[in-house]
């Protein structure tokens, strides 16, 4: 197939691209001009590269023309900073996504697969693990924008028969994730441990999250390409929670390095626990995560030792 990765220059995009190429697909990658790509020269030379403004339809059109499937990976904000400028968040992410849907409709794209956020869509959990029927009450603009994009995808499906799949990811980690990124606890913690820096823990370390290895995420994304059932929204996570203190313990064991930490006051937007139910994905996509958390951290650490932050 010919498949487009919109916002495909980053961590998730490069891992997905490697698998798509290995399976013989033609890959279009669209991202900002002069984006700091994680792609090696070998991989980049195998893809069709497009640069432009996500908010400009004329820039998007060449990237998706002739493609059967489009992965929507764009996100210009982070959960912890999105509330600082909600208008910018909506303009850059929601409006751009509507432009993408318009162009996909015109080009005859068969399916749009949107990478949403299982960590922010639901807000404070009423029960755990959180399934796809849980109320959606995001506590940050980032989550509200993701939810809004999901609703517009449903609208375009209703009005224009544009098929879509939403994958609500938990917290992915693994190869190619930047050590100095503003998002991604595993990468940030590994980077600090490898550089003998102190890790700041917001709160008492009891905040629990669902972490999933990137290889398992890519498997779910590949399953979404071929899915033929009636569901549109899937949680994609490990189905298990780890506190920050448990994460630090695993990192210390895997790296055999000192894990220096200090505790900071808790943050209002950090919900105490977020663990996803993945039963629907298991049943409908015939997918389940295969990588143990410790094994995923070890693979990630080994990759950083071999490749550094890039």
């Amino acid at each position: 197939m010919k498949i487009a990765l919109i916002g495909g220059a980053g961590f998730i995009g490069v891992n997905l691209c490697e698998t798509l190429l290995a399976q013989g697909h033609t890959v279009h990658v669209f991202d900002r001009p002069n984006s700091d790509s994680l792609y090696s020269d070998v991989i980049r030379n195998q893809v069709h590269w497009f640069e432009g403004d996500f908010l400009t339809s004329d820039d998007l059109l060449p990237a998706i023309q002739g493609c059967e499937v489009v992965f929507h990976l764009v996100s210009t904000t982070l959960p912890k900073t999105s509330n600082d400028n909600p208008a910018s968040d909506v303009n850059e992410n929601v409006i751009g996504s509507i432009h993408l849907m318009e162009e996909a409709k015109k080009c005859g794209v068969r399916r749009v697969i949107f990478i949403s956020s299982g960590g922010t869509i639901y807000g404070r959990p009423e029960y755990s693990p959180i399934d796809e029927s849980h109320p959606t009450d995001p506590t940050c603009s980032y989550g509200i924008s993701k939810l809004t994009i999901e609703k517009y995808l449903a609208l375009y499906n209703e009005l224009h028969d544009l098929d879509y799949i939403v994958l609500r990811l938990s917290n992915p980690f693994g190869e190619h994730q930047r050590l100095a990124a503003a998002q991604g606890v595993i990468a940030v913690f590994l980077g600090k441990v490898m550089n003998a820096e102190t890790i700041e823990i917001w709160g008492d370390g009891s905040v629990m999250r669902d972490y999933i290895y990137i290889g398992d995420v890519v498997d779910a994304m590949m399953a979404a390409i071929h899915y033929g059932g009636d569901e549109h929204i899937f949680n994609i996570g490990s189905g298990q929670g780890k506190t920050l203190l448990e994460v630090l313990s695993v990192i210390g064991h895997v790296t055999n390095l000192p894990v220096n930490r200090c505790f900071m006051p808790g943050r209002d937007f950090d919900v105490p626990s977020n663990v996803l139910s993945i039963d629907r994905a298991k049943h409908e996509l015939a997918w389940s995560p295969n990588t143990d958390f410790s094994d995923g951290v070890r693979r990630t650490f080994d990759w950083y030792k071999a490749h550094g932050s890039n």
Side-chain angles (χ1 to χ4, degrees), residues 86-227:
S88 176
D89 183 24
V90 170
N91 182 59
E92 293 177 4
N93 293 293
V94 177
I95 302 302
S97 297
I98 294 172
H99 286 313
L100 176 60
M101 293 172 215
E102 279 291 319
E103 297 310 309
K105 177 190 70 173
K106 294 175 186 175
C107 291
V109 169
R110 177 174 66 83
R111 172 171 290 170
V112 175
I113 301 175
F114 174 53
I115 304 306
S116 189
S117 171
T120 62
I121 284 281
Y122 299 109
R124 300 186 182 278
E126 296 183 1
Y127 54 84
S128 186
I130 301 167
D131 60 25
E132 292 86 352
S133 299
H134 188 282
T136 48
D137 295 306
T139 60
C140 62
S141 179
Y142 178 93
I144 294 172
S145 291
K146 292 285 191 184
L147 184 59
T148 303
I149 295 166
E150 291 185 14
K151 296 296 186 182
Y152 273 108
L153 283 166
L155 177 66
Y156 271 70
N157 177 246
E158 179 71 23
L159 297 179
H160 309 294
D161 203 30
L162 177 62
D163 191 21
Y164 74 100
I165 296 289
V166 171
L167 301 180
R168 291 175 174 172
L169 299 193
S170 59
N171 296 273
F173 70 95
E175 296 88 341
H176 295 289
Q177 194 167 30
R178 297 186 189 281
L179 291 173
Q183 189 176 19
V185 162
I186 307 301
V188 171
F189 284 5
L190 279 172
K192 289 187 177 295
V193 168
M194 293 170 71
N195 292 313
E197 298 175 358
T198 299
I199 295 172
E200 293 182 345
I201 302 294
W202 302 92
D204 61 4
S206 65
V207 167
M208 180 174 288
R209 293 292 181 268
D210 184 336
Y211 301 97
I212 183 169
Y213 177 64
I214 187 61
D216 291 327
V217 173
V218 170
D219 287 346
M221 296 169 84
M222 298 300 294
I225 293 174
H226 303 288
Y227 175 64

